[in-house]
Amino acid sequence: MKLSDIRNDYFTYSTRVSEIIRKLNFAGLALLWILSHEETESFFSNKENFMPLRLLVFSMVTDVLQYLIQSIIWYAYYMHKRKELLKNNIEDVENVIIKENEAYNIIPWCFWGLKILFTLLAFIFMAIILLN
């Protein structure tokens, strides 16, 4: 197995996890909506019931931030490297193999982990609410 295969695999799996988290977030919102309409008194009159909603929204926001920040970081890196290569009179800049700095992925990976954590916590809170 080539190193590039391993990299492609982890990109595939992390993308799949993001898709699952998005679906869970929407399922959680649907569950909260159903619960809010089944209660005789207002479901959200209890402040504890707001916590899963907040966590699901935080997860969705971190999902967007992950991809937004990742896009900005890698575009800036691309432009920097492109200018550097053109400055050094490299002709085919698009096909030059460069060693990318993995540190640029730290912030997006943090957001990736946070969205998973927020979703898990939201479902834990929903389970607690349902069991009470």
Side-chain angles (χ1 to χ4, degrees):
M1 178 180 267
K2 294 190 291 185
L3 189 59
S4 62
D5 293 336
I6 295 169
R7 183 179 182 172
N8 289 337
D9 284 349
Y10 92 76
F11 280 148
T12 300
Y13 298 137
S14 65
T15 299
R16 186 70 182 130
V17 169
S18 290
E19 292 168 358
I20 292 168
I21 290 296
R22 258 179 243 120
K23 290 175 184 177
L24 285 172
N25 285 340
F26 286 114
L29 289 175
L31 179 62
L32 287 173
W33 183 79
I34 290 168
L35 290 174
S36 70
H37 284 81
E38 285 186 355
E39 296 284 325
T40 52
E41 60 185 67
S42 176
F43 178 76
F44 292 112
S45 62
N46 182 350
K47 289 184 181 180
E48 291 175 356
N49 295 345
F50 269 115
M51 186 54 73
L53 179 62
R54 286 185 191 123
L55 289 167
L56 290 172
V57 169
F58 290 160
S59 179
M60 291 176 173
V61 169
T62 54
D63 186 36
V64 171
L65 286 174
Q66 174 202 355
Y67 290 105
L68 177 67
I69 289 170
Q70 199 167 28
S71 297
I72 292 169
I73 288 171
W74 283 107
Y75 177 74
Y77 184 72
Y78 166 79
M79 291 305 292
H80 168 73
K81 281 297 187 184
R82 186 172 188 280
K83 283 182 184 178
E84 184 179 282
L85 292 169
L86 289 172
K87 185 177 175 182
N88 291 328
N89 295 322
I90 306 291
E91 300 249 341
D92 190 14
V93 295
E94 296 297 323
N95 293 314
V96 172
I97 296 175
I98 60 168
K99 182 181 177 188
E100 73 267 12
N101 189 341
E102 199 57 38
Y104 294 120
N105 286 326
I106 292 172
I107 294 172
W109 278 110
C110 289
F111 279 105
W112 184 80
L114 280 173
K115 73 181 172 188
I116 294 169
L117 178 66
F118 288 146
T119 301
L120 289 174
L121 289 173
F123 275 88
I124 289 170
F125 276 100
M126 281 189 275
I128 291 169
I129 290 168
L130 290 171
L131 293 174
N132 285 338

